[in-house]
Amino acid sequence: MAYGLLNGKRGIISGALDDKSIAWKVALKAKEEGAIFTLTNAPIAMRMGAINQLAEQCNAEIIPADATSVEDLENLFTKSQEVLGGKVDFVLHSIGMSPNVRKGKAYADLNYEWYKQSVDISAMSLHKMLQTAYKLDAISEWGSVVALTYMAAQRTFPFYNDMADAKALLESVARSFGYHYGKYRNVRVNTVSQSPTPTKAGSGIGGFDKFFEFAEKMAPLGNATADQCADYVVTLFSDFTRMVTMQNLFHDGGFSMTGISEEVMGLLAKE
Ligand code: NAI
């Protein structure tokens, strides 16, 4: 059921790679709730072609941008305003990639060039997006920016590797820029810390299946799905959350606040 939560709102949605992507679900939900938006992803991701299908479904234009390139981001914000007919009201940052994770480098044996890339793509890109938008004054008053993150920023999950460091920086950028953009245009900036979700980026993390199952058994409500994440993100783009900013918001069925669950205790008892 749609509520018209985003009627009349314009936005930019990054990171929709395929129909499993969290950004893909956010795009469908934002469309359902009445928003118009542009879609963006790294030029290299366009080759997979799936995003065209989403664009058609959402009646949205695609503007390729490598999130590490300020030039590409300037083009993204300028073109989006042209296409949508005004400043944007919401931005989704749904971008993450670690060459160290991809190539199986252990945390105690990182390749530092790749480490820089992990941080640039997965965290500094949020700063670059926000700074570009700020300089172009491209986000309207009371606009909302949401970036997706994971709890490895607060607690250690060994297999999450250098992405944990990137997420810690991402969350810090959201707090710091949330202050500056709040003062400037009452724009809010938050991160949503999502449950493990079977997507391209998620499944790339070592031992994902086991960890997914563990989190499912720990969280009293179970793991939050990508669709449920989209529901939550849409509320953060809506006018109902105008005073929520600089927060890291857990969307994880209660996992982050659970010490141990009866299900996990039961599994240990069997050993
Ligand atoms: P995904 O693989 O569908 O999305 C990641 C996106 O990042 C892809 O669309 C990819 O093309 C894009 N990307 C990579 N390098 C880029 C660059 N240089 N410029 C622009 N875009 C680039 O996977 P998912 O899970 O939907 O990831 C979205 C966000 O959610 C990421 O920040 C991820 O860390 C976060 N997240 C994912 C969880 C999971 O278990 N899947 C859990 C918590 C957070």
Side-chain angles (χ1 to χ4, degrees):
M1 193 174 113
Y3 302 88
L5 284 180
L6 303 184
N7 276 345
K9 293 205 184 292
R10 309 176 178 100
I12 298 176
I13 295 179
S14 70
L17 184 68
D18 56 34
D19 63 0
K20 303 233 166 27
S21 299
I22 297 168
W24 188 286
K25 313 285 189 194
V26 173
L28 291 178
K29 189 55 77 174
K31 169 80 181 160
E32 200 180 307
E33 291 298 329
I36 55 167
F37 48 84
T38 56
L39 294 168
T40 185
N41 209 325
I44 200 164
M46 302 290 165
R47 283 199 219 136
M48 289 181 58
I51 196 172
N52 294 319
Q53 186 195 321
L54 180 67
E56 214 168 286
Q57 230 174 315
C58 296
N59 200 15
E61 195 156 314
I62 304 169
I63 304 173
D66 178 342
T68 64
S69 158
V70 171
E71 205 186 327
D72 282 10
L73 292 172
E74 281 167 358
N75 181 58
L76 171 64
F77 278 98
T78 306
K79 281 244 173 76
S80 292
Q81 290 183 89
E82 281 166 24
V83 169
L84 301 170
K87 292 184 197 296
V88 299
D89 301 296
F90 64 87
V91 179
L92 178 71
H93 179 288
S94 188
I95 298 169
M97 209 281 282
S98 157
N100 281 301
V101 168
R102 276 219 179 155
K103 293 172 192 176
K105 274 281 190 189
Y107 190 73
D109 182 33
L110 289 183
N111 173 311
Y112 289 118
E113 281 311 308
W114 295 347
Y115 193 17
K116 276 191 210 163
Q117 284 178 38
S118 302
V119 170
D120 196 10
I121 294 170
S122 313
M124 217 191 298
S125 58
L126 176 64
H127 193 285
K128 287 177 179 173
M129 269 191 181
L130 287 164
Q131 183 164 299
T132 303
Y134 189 101
K135 286 186 179 171
L136 294 171
D137 196 8
I139 304 180
S140 50
E141 284 273 340
W142 298 104
S144 172
V145 179
V146 170
L148 289 164
T149 188
Y150 182 57
M151 207 186 52
Q154 286 78 36
R155 296 204 214 156
T156 297
F157 293 83
F159 48 79
Y160 208 67
N161 214 315
D162 60 347
M163 276 301 285
D165 303 343
K167 291 302 191 193
L169 177 59
L170 180 83
E171 292 175 18
S172 180
V173 167
R175 270 190 301 277
S176 302
F177 229 121
Y179 176 85
H180 294 284
Y181 228 140
K183 282 290 192 186
Y184 179 48
R185 287 287 181 258
N186 294 317
V187 167
R188 59 201 188 278
V189 186
N190 295 291
T191 49
V192 168
S193 190
Q194 164 68 6
S195 292
T197 314
T199 61
K200 180 96 190 330
S203 318
I205 304 284
F208 179 83
D209 289 350
K210 287 244 158 46
F211 179 67
F212 180 88
E213 209 183 313
F214 172 72
E216 176 79 8
K217 288 187 165 39
M218 277 285 276
L221 302 183
N223 287 329
T225 65
D227 276 309
Q228 289 164 334
C229 187
D231 287 342
Y232 187 40
V233 168
V234 160
T235 67
L236 293 171
F237 290 158
S238 83
D239 289 338
F240 287 110
T241 51
R242 298 218 294 187
M243 297 305 280
V244 181
T245 193
M246 301 157 74
Q247 303 293 320
N248 179 43
L249 303 159
F250 288 101
H251 184 257
D252 64 357
F255 176 84
S256 49
M257 287 298 145
T258 305
I260 194 161
S261 66
E262 288 154 309
E263 284 86 343
V264 172
M265 294 267 280
L267 284 179
L268 293 172
K270 276 186 211 144
E271 281 182 3

